[in-house]
Amino acid sequence: MDCEDQTHALFKKISDVIAKPIFLFNPAFSMEMLCREVGSNVKYVSVVINATYGKNFKTLINERRVREGARRLTEGEKYQSETVEAVALSLGYNSSTSFIIAFKRVMGMTPAVYKRLVQQRNRQL
């Protein structure tokens, strides 16, 4: 297996692991846990994440969690009555504050503003 094949195989393993809610939404999910799951080391996993996603591990995980949080805050009756704190905890954040900070960094606004804008847009449709 050449270097490109190895990189692709490692990328596939990484993608498979971070797509699983049991890992992605686990508050203890870390680079070390990811490395154990894919059978590689921090250096190689970091290189593959940076090269394929164009960001580091923490940014990648926060973006995935925030996008799921945005979906939960605005879609489906299952999450309609949940607070921002409940959504944050279900996504693996240890507090609503860390979720709000990550959400604002990714989405450009707080979860409350995002939810209000989506609700206003939906009423206009």
Side-chain angles (χ1 to χ4, degrees):
M1 193 183 289
D2 68 7
C3 187
E4 190 173 319
D5 289 341
Q6 287 177 325
T7 300
H8 182 73
L10 183 54
F11 168 71
K12 174 82 172 97
K13 288 179 183 178
I14 292 168
S15 297
D16 289 348
V17 170
I18 64 174
K20 294 177 182 173
I22 193 168
F23 292 109
L24 184 60
F25 305 139
N26 179 344
F29 189 48
S30 64
M31 174 65 94
E32 291 72 23
M33 186 184 295
L34 175 61
C35 291
R36 278 193 307 275
E37 290 300 314
V38 300
S40 190
N41 66 42
V42 171
K43 180 181 178 184
Y44 291 130
V45 171
S46 292
V47 167
V48 170
I49 289 173
N50 286 314
T52 54
Y53 292 104
K55 54 195 74 163
N56 66 31
F57 171 79
K58 184 176 178 182
T59 301
L60 175 64
I61 297 307
N62 274 326
E63 285 180 2
R64 296 277 175 108
R65 288 175 173 175
V66 163
R67 297 211 186 284
E68 175 61 18
R71 186 191 70 75
R72 289 181 184 185
L73 289 168
T74 59
E75 293 180 11
E77 294 180 19
K78 179 179 178 183
Y79 300 104
Q80 285 300 313
S81 62
E82 285 197 15
T83 64
V84 169
E85 182 174 22
V87 171
L89 295 175
S90 73
L91 295 171
Y93 289 95
N94 292 318
S95 71
S96 58
T97 303
S98 55
F99 172 64
I100 292 167
I101 291 167
F103 196 98
K104 193 168 182 179
R105 189 174 296 129
V106 173
M107 304 298 284
M109 63 190 83
T110 65
V113 170
Y114 178 80
K115 186 174 184 175
R116 189 169 56 249
L117 288 173
V118 170
Q119 287 172 341
Q120 287 172 351
R121 187 195 74 209
N122 288 344
R123 275 188 242 123
Q124 293 172 350
L125 296 177

